[in-house]
Amino acid sequence: MRMIFNLTFAAIVMLSVPSAIGGNFQYFITGGVAYPIYDKDLTKVYNAGLHLGIGLGYTLSDRVMLIGNVQVSNLPLDEEEYLKSIDAFKKENQAEEGSATVLTGSLNLKYSFSRARSGEAPFLTGGATIGRFIAGDVLLSESVDNDITETVIDGKGKSAFGLNAGAGFNVHLSSKSFLFFEARYTILFADKPRVHIIPLQFGVAFR
């Protein structure tokens, strides 16, 4: 619930700032899939999951844009691998819920290789990130002497700074809007787990 509140609050701020100060702004809405790629504490226990984001860009030149965005990724728990990680893997045992959430806020520069207002325009992007990784509570059901016992294993959260870099391409619809595809490598400098994810996302930008 807190993640939804934070994302909603960020959306309200991003929508209100341009109207307050004016300028050459664009809004971004993205969706896709986030893949955990490093390290084993992350990749073995969590699967790829839904990725959503919002952003606000300001045009600095005909090729360069400054973009602030907030993105959230949900990584579902891999039940079998989780049970193995805590030495509780048995046919009768179950681990439910426990998905992880990665919430990030980034400030990026985006460089487009084309000035064209139509067609495809490849781009590179990169910048600084601040994020929070939250491992959800896990409901563990274990069979002990033919009885089922249930235990809630509390999740943990940690915040960290990081970096991100990516590439993609724009497909311009008009002078005021375009579609885009982007692959972005995001790193949070945190331990156990070290959070490295790659969101593959489609989006739309409009003025």
Side-chain angles (χ1 to χ4, degrees), residues 81-129:
E81 291 298 332
Y82 177 79
L83 291 173
K84 289 180 180 179
S85 71
I86 61 172
D87 296 323
F89 180 67
K90 295 181 181 178
K91 183 178 180 180
E92 302 82 3
N93 294 349
Q94 292 184 335
E96 300 176 275
E97 303 177 10
S99 61
T101 300
V102 182
L103 178 66
T104 61
S106 301
L107 186 64
N108 286 12
L109 285 175
K110 175 181 176 180
Y111 178 82
S112 296
F113 288 94
S114 173
R115 300 179 183 180
R117 292 294 182 179
S118 62
E120 296 181 1
F123 66 83
L124 295 176
T125 182
T129 297

Side-chain angles (χ1 to χ4, degrees), residues 24-37:
N24 192 11
F25 288 92
Q26 282 192 324
Y27 303 102
F28 292 80
I29 300 175
T30 60
V33 179
Y35 294 86
I37 59 171

Side-chain angles (χ1 to χ4, degrees), residues 1 6 16 22 38 49 69 72 81 85 99 147 164-165 180-181 186:
M1 182 63 69
N6 290 341
S16 62
Y38 189 82
N69 57 46
V72 60
E81 291 298 332
S85 71
S99 61
D147 289 329
N164 75 91
F180 65 93
F181 170 78
T186 298

Side-chain angles (χ1 to χ4, degrees), residues 4 15 18 20 26 31 34 37 39 58 60 69 71 77 90 118 127-128 135 155 157 164 172 177 187:
I4 296 174
L15 290 173
Q26 282 192 324
I37 59 171
D39 60 16
Y58 182 78
L60 300 176
N69 57 46
Q71 301 187 337
L77 185 73
K90 295 181 181 178
S118 62
N164 75 91
H172 287 269
S177 64
I187 304 171

Side-chain angles (χ1 to χ4, degrees), residues 127-178:
T129 297
I130 183 170
R132 184 163 178 80
F133 174 84
I134 302 175
D137 297 345
V138 177
L139 177 60
L140 178 63
S141 300
E142 296 182 280
S143 177
V144 180
D145 297 328
N146 296 322
D147 289 329
I148 301 297
T149 61
E150 293 187 344
T151 306
V152 175
I153 301 177
D154 294 335
K156 296 181 180 179
K158 60 181 67 178
S159 300
F161 290 98
L163 297 172
N164 75 91
F169 62 90
N170 301 325
V171 178
H172 287 269
L173 302 176
S174 70
S175 61
K176 293 187 177 182
S177 64
F178 60 87

